[in-house]
Amino acid sequence: MVEVSDSTLDFDRNDNALVYAREGIGELWIVNLKAMEIEVRQQPSPRGYLNLEIYRRDRTIGFEFGSVEYRVDRLFENVPEPDA
């Protein structure tokens, strides 16, 4: 499951993530547009996801379903830098 988040970031991290974990969705990606990073949540449980990894722009992220890798900064190429 992938959520693209800007103004709904808190809702996606808390409410949506809990619903997805309880439904047994194995992996949730939250594309955080404000911080220009990807939050990957894994290991669903009734209390939420047990594992969180944050991929910032300088990292490469792999996909669970194969040997595909993707540079995180490519995802944000056309996104303006957030205000300081």
Side-chain angles (χ1 to χ4, degrees):
M1 176 68 62
V2 176
E3 292 280 352
V4 178
S5 233
D6 185 2
S7 61
T8 61
L9 186 58
D10 288 334
F11 184 78
D12 293 333
R13 282 178 171 158
N14 299 302
D15 299 69
N16 282 346
L18 183 58
V19 169
Y20 297 146
R22 287 181 175 167
E23 290 298 318
I25 305 295
E27 189 167 282
L28 169 63
W29 289 24
I30 298 176
V31 179
N32 179 342
L33 295 176
K34 289 183 179 181
M36 289 201 253
E37 59 194 23
I38 301 171
E39 302 174 13
V40 178
R41 297 164 191 273
Q42 298 172 316
Q43 295 179 291
S45 79
R47 297 183 329 269
Y49 286 94
L50 302 177
N51 185 43
L52 168 65
E53 178 116 17
I54 297 177
Y55 292 84
R56 293 185 172 79
R57 294 184 72 165
D58 59 343
R59 294 196 52 198
T60 300
I61 191 167
F63 294 89
E64 180 179 275
F65 53 81
S67 59
V68 177
E69 291 187 343
Y70 193 79
R71 293 252 333 147
V72 173
D73 57 351
R74 291 197 60 212
L75 179 68
F76 297 106
E77 283 179 339
N78 296 317
V79 177
E81 291 285 336
D83 295 332

